[in-house]
Amino acid sequence: MTKLRLIANSSSRSCEGSIFSSDWLTKLFPFYLAFNREMQIVQIGDAMHRLYPAITLGNALEDYFTIKYPDIAADFAAACEQADALILLESQNGGLQFQGQALYVASLELIFFLGAPQITDLNILRSLEVKVAPPSRSATSDYLMLLQARTTPLSDLRRLADKMAAQRQAWQSALAQTELFAALFEQAADAIAITDNATKLLKINGAYEALAGYCREEVVGQPIATLFELESHPEMQQEMWQTVALGQLWQGRLLSKHKDGSVCLQETTVFPIQNKAGQLKHYVFQIYGSQAHAAQAHGFSARTLERSAAYAKPTFGKEESQNSLSLFQATFEATADGILVTNTRGYTLNFNQKFVNLWQIQDADLVMQEEPQIFKYVAQFLKNSEGFTDRIQDLYAQPTAESHDILELQDGRFLEGRSRPQRMNDQVIGRVWSFQDVTERQLTEARIRYQASHDLLTGLPNRMMFSDRLADTLFQAAQNLSRLAVMFLDLDRFKLVNDSLGHAAGDQLLQEVARRLKACLRESDMVARWAGDEFTLLLPNLHSIEDATTIAQKILLALRPDYELEGHTLHVSSSIGIAVYPNDGETAETLLKNADAALYRAKDGGRNGYHLYTSTLNSEASEWLTLENHLHRALERQELMLYYQPQVNVVTGKIIQMEALLRWQHPELGIVSPGKFIPIAEENGLIVPIGEWVLRTACAQTCAWQAAGLPSIGMAVNLSARQLREPKLLDMVERVLQETQLDPRYLELEITETTVMKNVERTCTILQELRRMGVSTAMDDFGTGYSSLGYLKKFPFHTLKIDQSFVRDLNTDPNDKAIVAAIVAMGKVLNLQLVAEGVETQAQKHSLLSLDCEVMQGYLFSRPLPAQAATDLLMSQARGEKCPET
């Protein structure tokens, strides 16, 4: 096919962006000319070039032609004013005249002269054919042969030529629109399939290829059932075809098939395409949904686009062109995206109604203004209008660039915008823009991002976000040589709130604590919920360590006021551990570990306070870890043992009961203090199997003493708070009694006052069940907790053990003596056995006797003894000896 000759310098313009394609323009007007503002010829029709081969592109029009009519100068502005008027050019070489019209194309800044030779002599016409006709039959030779074949007057020939020109122009317009819609068809984010009226597939777009896994060559000509599972839902299929048969849209969910055999339920719209006579010609299937959009997000290759363009080219008969144009126009308007098509300078060429609706443009005429104002207009609706304008300028400065942006509008909506160059014959002739409302998706993604980085209960950043921020802040601190502090904070006895008032109250407490914490911090500080009732704080840019302690004191004061929760007024204290960079660590892991160690020291120090990390805490933590590792094997290695300490009735001098006390004999560490390993066992849960071993061993020892004929005395065994929470505690006690054959009346279980009050209702139930089993119970360390007489009278205890802290200063502190006297009096009223712990001197013994407390336990009578030594002590008592006193 003959190609246009185009000037190669920078001032030249291509007609590719006009409504004419180059090939069809030279076929329609083989003698056409195009010139620019400088009146330089920049394009020339094929026949004109053959007729005047000396014409050089870039030279002035007046070098070759004179404007004979109208009488105007060879001036661009003057020629523009004559647009659509009759123009007569005369060649300066031979005097041949050409009559036609001037067409001004503003977007290209070119004037096109569309004309034909004024010929009155057939001999000249034949001579002209020889000069311009190429060896093959081209559009030019067809045109001249048509002129020769006519013997009608020249005016009739002109009318015939005009009619042919109008018809070819209509075909050319249809072709240009078809090429445009083919590009839009590929640009659409939704998967689209088009069939004929027999539902045979004609084409699918790139989004459908990505969605279904087929390339279009595999499905073209196949029935629509290749892409959809219709037979399994006959009622839906019937409804769909009945709807579209009436010329109406059908929307619903169809099972879309993938090439791999899988199916997926997709939101689908089916709409019919009719010709002017109302006959159904095509069906369009459009799939909405994230899968189709995800495929679009991956983009399509140039080869795919070219291949789709090849499918789009129709046979350019009038009927076929109109049908194709109608089909693609319907597809263009039906797509879920708002589409805008511009030339390379930003002038609007086409748009659909969805584009107007998405941008809420009140007057659609604004989109088609001659000046490229549409982007300036829509920018006013954006939050970042300046950034959008810069982005547009960059894209039009780089014709081949593509873009993908999320645009936030001032009304709260989000639009996803994509732009790709539109190509024709391997040249960029403009841009295709697609816009889609993704507000719901953006809000969902924002909600997911928020939930991934925040604690949903308190709204505070979570552990992941805190760790990221800490890493960034540490990097900045290293660069700036500045200090920062990391704090660990948790609430004292928070579990008691959950257990006694319920999780709803616990949640309210955490929310209020979070609010108070945020109010204490500077703008640059950060507080996060780490886990449970634990919070972490990051304090950057500290001038000194005192800055951290000042904020810690402020936090403790802020958390001190009462909390109103679920109709209850609570006072909750907190403990804080502090580690400072770079003194206490240079990495996030080290700082967090050290702040956590400092927190535990704050709790050990009495709670409701803060503690700064010191290096000695690491050695303590290391010791803790070592003991924990060894403790896991202590039971199986038989390193645990029981010692026994007697409880003596000082009036009779008789031992009435032994208390079993746990000891750990480590082969390398020696005797490990219970004060060190019992808290570890409580925390990691080992106290449960260890506690069962203690109970079984103590019961078995009691039975052994009885079998040896020694006095039948009771055995006291301590229950920990962790054991008390065990659901099968009662079953375990009953099983041990059965296995050891110990009479339950010889077993007494001791529970500390603090443990009792952690879960009043459960403790009361357990004590009642133990009494039913015949096992007695004792409240240990009485007077050190926070029980009330109202609670005490409800608990079925047999014994109260007076804590040694009152006994120690019994003879030196009148208050302690008064307290002991009150406890003894209360015990007598409640008919409880009283045991004084920690008796070490005769003076203490006599004072207790004077207060009517007869049963005592302490070093005055005996230290805790291993089993054999305790056996010897009981044997001496069997011989009638009294328990010795030191």
Side-chain angles (χ1 to χ4, degrees):
M1 181 178 289
T2 306
K3 299 293 182 181
L4 286 175
R5 275 74 173 173
L6 299 180
I7 191 166
N9 64 29
S10 60
S11 66
S12 67
R13 296 287 189 271
S14 167
C15 69
E16 297 289 318
S18 70
I19 62 172
F20 305 103
S21 85
S22 58
D23 296 327
W24 281 88
L25 186 59
T26 196
K27 287 181 179 180
L28 186 59
F29 298 104
F31 296 95
Y32 91 100
L33 293 170
F35 47 95
N36 60 18
R37 285 187 174 275
E38 289 73 36
M39 298 299 288
Q40 297 170 329
I41 297 176
V42 296
Q43 296 178 17
I44 182 170
D46 183 78
M48 183 73 82
H49 188 267
R50 291 180 181 276
L51 189 61
Y52 300 112
I55 294 179
T56 302
L57 296 179
N59 288 349
L61 176 71
E62 59 188 2
D63 292 344
Y64 306 101
F65 298 95
T66 301
I67 301 177
K68 298 295 290 183
Y69 180 88
D71 187 15
I72 58 173
D75 178 74
F76 190 86
C80 285
E81 293 178 357
Q82 300 301 319
D84 300 326
L86 181 66
I87 300 290
L88 189 65
L89 295 183
E90 183 176 290
S91 168
Q92 295 184 10
N93 181 11
L96 188 61
Q97 293 183 343
F98 298 83
Q99 181 177 296
Q101 289 181 321
L103 175 64
Y104 170 55
V105 181
S107 60
L108 302 176
E109 295 186 352
L110 295 180
I111 293 179
F112 289 80
F113 172 76
L114 309 177
Q118 280 285 89
I119 304 173
T120 58
D121 189 333
L122 291 180
N123 290 326
I124 297 176
L125 187 63
R126 293 189 184 96
S127 174
L128 185 63
E129 179 188 6
V130 173
K131 291 183 180 180
V132 301
S136 61
R137 294 174 58 86
S138 67
T140 303
S141 61
D142 290 344
Y143 179 77
L144 294 176
M145 286 178 64
L146 178 61
L147 291 179
Q148 291 177 354
R150 300 287 294 179
T151 58
T152 54
L154 182 61
S155 59
D156 291 338
L157 288 176
R158 290 200 192 99
R159 284 194 296 271
L160 178 61
D162 291 342
K163 184 176 181 181
M164 290 175 61
Q167 186 179 54
R168 289 187 176 180
Q169 188 171 5
W171 291 348
Q172 167 56 21
S173 177
L175 171 63
Q177 291 293 317
T178 299
E179 291 175 333
L180 170 63
F181 288 123
L184 298 176
F185 180 66
E186 284 302 323
Q187 180 76 5
D190 296 318
I192 301 174
I194 302 175
T195 75
D196 60 15
N197 57 4
T199 71
K200 296 293 184 182
L201 284 160
L202 299 178
K203 53 180 67 69
I204 62 174
N205 67 352
Y208 215 122
E209 285 185 311
L211 175 69
Y214 289 103
C215 65
R216 59 197 74 191
E217 290 89 345
E218 295 177 289
V219 296
V220 168
Q222 299 298 315
I224 191 63
T226 305
L227 299 180
F228 290 96
E229 177 60 59
L230 299 175
E231 298 300 328
S232 59
H233 296 82
E235 294 181 359
M236 179 178 293
Q237 181 183 183
Q238 183 180 4
E239 176 198 348
M240 180 184 71
W241 291 124
Q242 287 176 349
T243 301
V244 295
L246 297 174
Q248 300 173 356
L249 295 179
W250 180 87
Q251 290 182 312
R253 305 181 76 186
L254 295 179
L255 281 173
S256 175
K257 293 181 180 179
H258 193 275
K259 184 178 179 180
D260 63 11
S262 62
V263 293
C264 180
L265 206 58
Q266 301 279 8
E267 294 291 337
T268 308
T269 296
V270 184
F271 52 94
I273 304 297
Q274 299 175 334
N275 61 15
K276 290 184 178 180
Q279 298 172 323
L280 284 171
K281 302 294 291 183
H282 302 278
Y283 297 103
V284 178
F285 290 73
Q286 184 174 7
I287 292 180
Y288 304 89
S290 58
Q291 293 187 51
H293 294 162
Q296 174 70 8
H298 287 87
F300 308 107
S301 66
R303 185 177 64 84
T304 303
L305 197 60
E306 290 167 2
R307 186 175 59 202
S308 67
Y311 276 104
K313 296 202 176 198
T315 303
F316 289 105
K318 182 176 180 181
E319 178 73 20
E320 289 80 0
S321 296
Q322 289 179 345
N323 287 343
S324 182
L325 179 60
S326 174
L327 172 62
F328 280 104
Q329 180 67 44
T331 304
F332 183 45
E333 287 296 338
T335 182
D337 295 348
I339 304 294
L340 174 70
V341 184
T342 72
N343 65 10
T344 55
R345 300 179 59 202
Y347 288 84
T348 300
L349 298 179
N350 210 338
F351 64 95
N352 64 358
Q353 186 61 36
K354 187 67 174 181
F355 173 80
V356 175
N357 296 341
L358 281 177
W359 287 100
Q360 299 180 352
I361 299 173
Q362 300 300 320
D363 184 1
D365 292 339
L366 290 170
V367 187
M368 293 300 294
Q369 289 181 349
E370 291 187 2
E371 296 296 325
Q373 297 291 324
I374 184 58
F375 293 114
K376 294 181 181 178
Y377 178 79
V378 299
Q380 65 181 317
F381 301 120
L382 298 172
K383 284 193 174 181
N384 183 15
S385 58
E386 185 176 345
F388 176 72
T389 302
D390 293 342
R391 179 76 159 146
I392 295 299
Q393 292 175 350
D394 291 343
L395 283 173
Y396 279 98
Q398 305 175 61
T400 61
E402 299 186 3
S403 71
H404 176 211
D405 303 282
I406 301 297
L407 307 173
E408 185 176 4
L409 278 67
Q410 294 178 5
D411 62 8
R413 290 182 300 135
F414 292 87
L415 298 183
E416 181 180 44
R418 296 179 184 274
S419 178
R420 291 182 178 176
Q422 182 189 359
R423 290 180 170 85
M424 189 179 294
N425 296 334
D426 297 327
Q427 294 188 24
V428 175
I429 63 170
R431 283 196 165 274
V432 179
W433 294 82
S434 65
F435 298 93
Q436 186 179 46
D437 191 328
V438 292
T439 304
E440 184 176 351
R441 188 185 79 192
Q442 287 295 114
L443 295 178
T444 300
E445 290 176 356
R447 186 163 54 250
I448 292 172
R449 287 193 299 269
Y450 179 87
Q451 292 173 351
S453 61
H454 287 76
D455 170 56
L456 299 185
L457 176 64
T458 63
L460 295 178
N462 61 13
R463 180 187 298 204
M464 180 184 70
M465 186 174 180
F466 182 87
S467 298
D468 291 343
R469 174 77 177 277
L470 176 57
D472 293 340
T473 308
L474 278 172
F475 177 79
Q476 295 171 6
Q479 297 292 107
N480 303 331
L481 301 179
S482 60
R483 288 188 179 92
L484 66 84
V486 173
M487 292 184 178
F488 252 114
L489 177 150
D490 81 350
L491 305 180
D492 300 329
R493 301 185 180 90
F494 173 74
K495 189 177 184 305
L496 181 61
V497 176
N498 266 347
D499 291 344
S500 58
L501 300 183
H503 288 282
D507 290 347
Q508 290 181 25
L509 175 59
L510 292 173
Q511 290 169 339
E512 176 61 18
V513 167
R515 187 189 66 79
R516 296 188 189 186
L517 285 175
K518 288 191 290 185
C520 294
L521 302 182
R522 304 166 301 171
E523 186 175 350
S524 60
D525 299 336
M526 180 183 191
V527 57
R529 185 181 178 197
W530 192 254
D533 64 327
E534 286 186 325
F535 297 85
T536 48
L537 298 96
L538 174 59
L539 313 177
N541 302 318
L542 298 180
H543 297 293
S544 64
I545 295 177
E546 286 70 25
D547 290 345
T549 59
T550 299
I551 294 177
Q553 291 169 349
K554 183 178 180 181
I555 290 172
L556 292 173
L557 287 174
L559 300 184
R560 184 175 297 172
D562 291 343
Y563 297 81
E564 299 294 332
L565 305 172
E566 297 288 312
H568 299 272
T569 300
L570 295 182
H571 174 79
V572 179
S573 60
S574 61
S575 301
I576 302 174
I578 308 171
V580 179
Y581 170 88
N583 308 50
D584 304 330
E586 297 184 356
T587 67
E589 181 181 2
T590 303
L591 287 170
L592 288 168
K593 181 187 72 173
N594 291 343
D596 195 29
L599 170 65
Y600 278 98
R601 175 51 63 88
K603 284 185 167 297
D604 291 342
R607 304 174 186 265
N608 194 29
Y610 67 86
H611 194 87
L612 286 164
Y613 172 79
T614 60
S615 57
T616 57
L617 295 179
N618 270 345
S619 61
E620 294 174 0
S622 179
E623 181 185 8
W624 178 287
L625 185 61
T626 300
L627 288 177
E628 183 176 23
N629 289 336
H630 288 301
L631 189 58
H632 277 280
R633 300 181 181 180
L635 193 59
E636 63 184 67
R637 292 180 175 179
Q638 298 182 348
E639 296 171 1
L640 300 178
M641 61 184 66
L642 290 184
Y643 277 46
Y644 302 92
Q645 187 176 30
Q647 296 174 2
V648 181
N649 186 317
V650 296
V651 175
T652 63
K654 298 293 185 181
I655 297 172
I656 62 171
Q657 186 161 266
M658 288 284 191
E659 180 179 0
L661 301 171
L662 182 62
R663 295 292 184 268
W664 180 11
Q665 177 69 54
H666 191 275
E668 298 173 2
L669 303 175
I671 294 291
V672 181
S673 167
K676 287 186 175 181
F677 74 83
I678 292 295
I680 298 176
E682 284 271 8
E683 183 172 311
N684 62 21
L686 283 174
I687 195 67
V688 175
I690 290 176
E692 182 175 349
W693 176 85
V694 169
L695 181 63
R696 180 176 285 102
T697 303
C699 290
Q701 183 62 67
T702 304
C703 289
W705 286 334
Q706 292 177 357
L710 296 176
S712 297
I713 60 172
M715 178 64 71
V717 178
N718 290 282
L719 280 183
S720 71
R722 180 68 178 80
Q723 286 177 281
L724 207 61
R725 295 198 303 268
E726 276 296 298
K728 297 183 179 180
L729 171 65
L730 294 171
D731 293 339
M732 185 270 290
V733 173
E734 190 168 20
R735 184 175 66 254
V736 168
L737 289 173
Q738 290 177 351
E739 290 174 356
T740 59
Q741 297 297 305
L742 178 65
D743 191 325
R745 63 193 176 100
Y746 292 111
L747 176 62
E748 183 174 77
L749 298 177
E750 295 186 3
I751 306 171
T752 64
E753 182 180 8
T754 302
T755 300
V756 167
M757 297 306 298
K758 282 185 177 180
N759 192 330
V760 173
E761 296 301 324
R762 175 167 173 76
T763 302
C764 189
T765 300
I766 291 174
L767 294 178
Q768 289 171 349
E769 285 299 312
L770 289 173
R771 167 169 282 195
R772 183 189 60 78
M773 291 166 55
V775 177
S776 60
T777 55
M779 179 181 282
D780 197 9
D781 300 338
F782 183 74
T784 61
Y786 43 87
S787 64
S788 67
L789 295 178
Y791 278 123
L792 184 60
K793 70 179 183 180
K794 294 180 180 179
F795 292 129
F797 284 113
H798 298 81
T799 304
L800 283 184
K801 299 189 74 174
I802 304 171
D803 190 71
Q804 59 183 339
S805 61
F806 300 119
V807 174
R808 185 182 304 114
D809 298 323
L810 184 62
N811 295 315
T812 58
D813 189 338
N815 291 328
D816 282 347
K817 188 170 185 178
I819 290 173
V820 173
I823 294 174
V824 172
M826 181 184 64
K828 296 292 185 182
V829 170
L830 296 176
N831 196 30
L832 296 174
Q833 172 75 48
L834 292 167
V835 178
E837 295 183 293
V839 180
E840 298 181 354
T841 66
Q842 289 288 339
Q844 292 170 345
K845 169 188 168 184
H846 291 305
S847 294
L848 288 167
L849 271 175
S850 69
L851 294 174
D852 206 15
C853 178
E854 300 178 351
V855 180
M856 304 178 195
Q857 178 180 347
Y859 287 180
L860 178 63
F861 309 103
S862 175
R863 291 177 176 272
L865 303 171
Q868 186 56 54
T871 302
D872 295 341
L873 182 61
L874 290 176
M875 291 181 66
S876 65
Q877 181 173 270
R879 292 193 296 267
E881 301 175 10
K882 291 186 177 182
C883 186
E885 298 178 9
T886 59

